[in-house]
């Protein structure tokens, strides 16, 4: 089964950038949809971005133009480049692998935007 490990979170000032990584075990990784979600304290989990095995992407309106999702199938890794970060982007960011008959979550990485 695929296992996911996120990394790249941290503390950044408003307007700054971070790049999150979602690394997976298992060669099937290249055939599944990968999604980035985020969850802030007291709020519902929010879908941030998705990327298909073909590289098609979708973004939440709140991050369009600021975040970019990409994948490197050779490295079994999906990235979330986050630019122009805002205070409201503070959350735990989690990646999820979505296949036809199963899905797997990573453990999450904390992103804190603060001055």
């Amino acid at each position: 089964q695929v296992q996911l490990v996120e990394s790249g979170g941290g503390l950044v000032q408003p307007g700054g950038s971070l790049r999150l990584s979602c690394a997976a075990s298992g060669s099937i990784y290249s055939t599944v949809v990968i999604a980035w979600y985020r969850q802030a304290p007291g709020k519902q989990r929010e879908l941030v971005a998705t990327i298909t095995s073909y590289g098609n992407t979708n973004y939440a309106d709140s991050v369009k133009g600021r975040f970019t999702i990409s994948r490197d199938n050779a490295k079994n890794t999906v990235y979330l480049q986050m630019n122009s970060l805002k205070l409201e982007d503070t959350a735990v960011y989690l990646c999820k692998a979505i296949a036809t008959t199963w899905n797997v979550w990573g453990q999450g990485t904390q992103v804190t935007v603060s001055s």
Side-chain angles (χ1 to χ4, degrees), residues 8-97:
L11 174 65
V12 63
Q13 291 185 338
S17 298
L18 283 174
R19 188 177 80 158
L20 306 183
S21 298
C22 175
S25 60
S27 59
I28 198 172
Y29 191 68
S30 63
T31 67
V32 302
V33 172
I34 302 297
W36 279 100
Y37 287 77
R38 66 186 180 186
Q39 186 157 23
K43 294 188 177 181
Q44 286 191 329
R45 190 167 291 183
E46 174 189 17
L47 178 61
V48 175
T50 61
I51 186 165
T52 70
S53 57
Y54 298 104
N56 297 320
T57 60
N58 270 295
Y59 299 92
D61 288 342
S62 58
V63 306
K64 276 181 183 176
R66 301 188 298 121
F67 290 11
T68 302
I69 189 171
S70 61
R71 68 192 299 163
D72 185 337
N73 289 334
K75 295 183 178 180
N76 286 340
T77 301
V78 167
Y79 304 98
L80 185 68
Q81 177 67 44
M82 306 187 295
N83 299 328
S84 302
L85 283 162
K86 304 176 180 180
L87 297 175
E88 52 264 40
D89 293 318
T90 295
V92 174
Y93 284 71
L94 308 101
C95 63
K96 180 181 180 182

